[in-house]
Each structure stands twice: as C-alpha cells, then as structure tokens.
Amino acid sequence: MRSWVYYIEISAYYQKGSRERASAVYVVALPEDKPLNPVDMECYASEYAPVRLAIEHGMAYAIGFDEEIKNPQDYDLMGYREDMELYVFKEGLSFKEGLERVYRLLYESIEKEDLVAIEPVVDVGSPPKELMFECLKRAIST
C-alpha cells in the first residue's frame, strides 16, 4: 500500500491567555494506479507522490493518537491494530471525511471551559490551510 502521512494539530486558546495543543497522525491510503512523479535525488527516492494525489484520490486509512480512543465507532474506526499502533478507519472514507474525523477527535480531547478560539496548526507538509479550516469547522459543528 502506498500512503501519505500527515501530522495534524490544533491549538485551543482560552480566556485567561493559556493555550492547549492536541495532535494526531493521519494516514491516507493512496491509489496504486495513479502515477508518481520522478525526482532526481539519489539519497531520497526515484519517485514521490504529488501533494494533490492524497487530497483528490486518497482514502482515510488510520489515526495515530497518544491516548486510548474510548468509542472508536464514533469516528468511523474499526479498531486498534497493535502491530501498527494505529486506529484503522472503516473502508470507504474519503480524505476529507477522514480529516474531519481526526479534527473531531482532537476537538473532543481538549478542555472546553473558557475556550475562546481554536485553529489548525499549519506546518510544512500540512494539507492546504483552507481545507484544514473547512474540515475543522465541519468537525466542530457535528
């Protein structure tokens, strides 16, 4: 299986000026039939997956989270695979649907009292900022 791994993180801001962060690893399965782009870097690899491939054709595969997820079915997870240390999604979830589930899990893991703002952390290798905000907003509204 080809895959793309994202580190997804949120920052929560509170009335008294404190901040809390929550994060998870999001694994996306990539289609085998889509071509990879060649790269001329001997120390790296001969090919790489274009960024849009994961977003447009990827399917949610798994979440890595530091805590036990109490009700995996609430996030469309089949269960925990100890050999990979990942919670695996049910088949058929798109990239966006999986990202929404990751954001919902992160949102539900933070303290809500005196919460004034929440935002995705944008970093190198993150999905596009607009997509992250869209999925976070949808996750919070459910």
Side-chain angles (χ1 to χ4, degrees):
M1 176 185 87
R2 290 188 202 168
S3 63
W4 192 287
V5 179
Y6 293 93
Y7 181 72
I8 304 297
E9 185 174 26
I10 59 171
S11 280
Y13 300 91
Y14 297 92
Q15 272 184 334
K16 295 183 180 179
S18 62
R19 180 175 78 178
E20 179 183 3
R21 287 189 169 203
S23 62
V25 172
Y26 177 39
V27 182
V28 178
L30 303 178
E32 295 284 337
D33 62 336
K34 299 291 181 190
L36 300 178
N37 291 346
V39 63
D40 188 24
M41 298 172 70
E42 290 180 27
C43 64
Y44 183 62
S46 60
E47 303 175 309
Y48 71 96
V51 174
R52 300 296 315 167
L53 180 63
I55 296 166
E56 294 171 3
H57 303 285
M59 301 300 283
Y61 181 71
I63 298 176
F65 193 58
D66 286 339
E67 301 170 28
E68 178 184 352
I69 299 175
K70 300 289 185 205
N71 297 309
Q73 66 279 4
D74 292 349
Y75 306 98
D76 291 315
L77 296 166
M78 291 189 304
Y80 186 71
R81 291 241 347 230
E82 286 190 33
D83 61 324
M84 297 190 307
E85 297 183 356
L86 295 171
Y87 288 90
V88 178
F89 282 107
K90 294 177 184 174
E91 287 189 39
L93 286 178
S94 70
F95 174 91
K96 280 176 133 178
E97 291 169 326
L99 186 57
E100 288 173 26
R101 303 315 187 274
V102 173
Y103 278 128
R104 187 157 38 100
L105 173 67
L106 296 178
Y107 177 71
E108 290 175 356
S109 75
I110 62 168
E111 177 63 43
K112 308 297 180 305
E113 190 174 331
D114 298 326
L115 179 66
V116 293
I118 187 169
E119 65 182 4
V121 174
V122 180
D123 201 353
V124 175
S126 295
K129 184 178 180 177
E130 300 77 27
L131 179 61
M132 292 188 336
F133 274 102
E134 174 190 332
C135 291
L136 177 58
K137 189 184 293 186
R138 213 176 284 143
I140 291 172
S141 67
T142 57

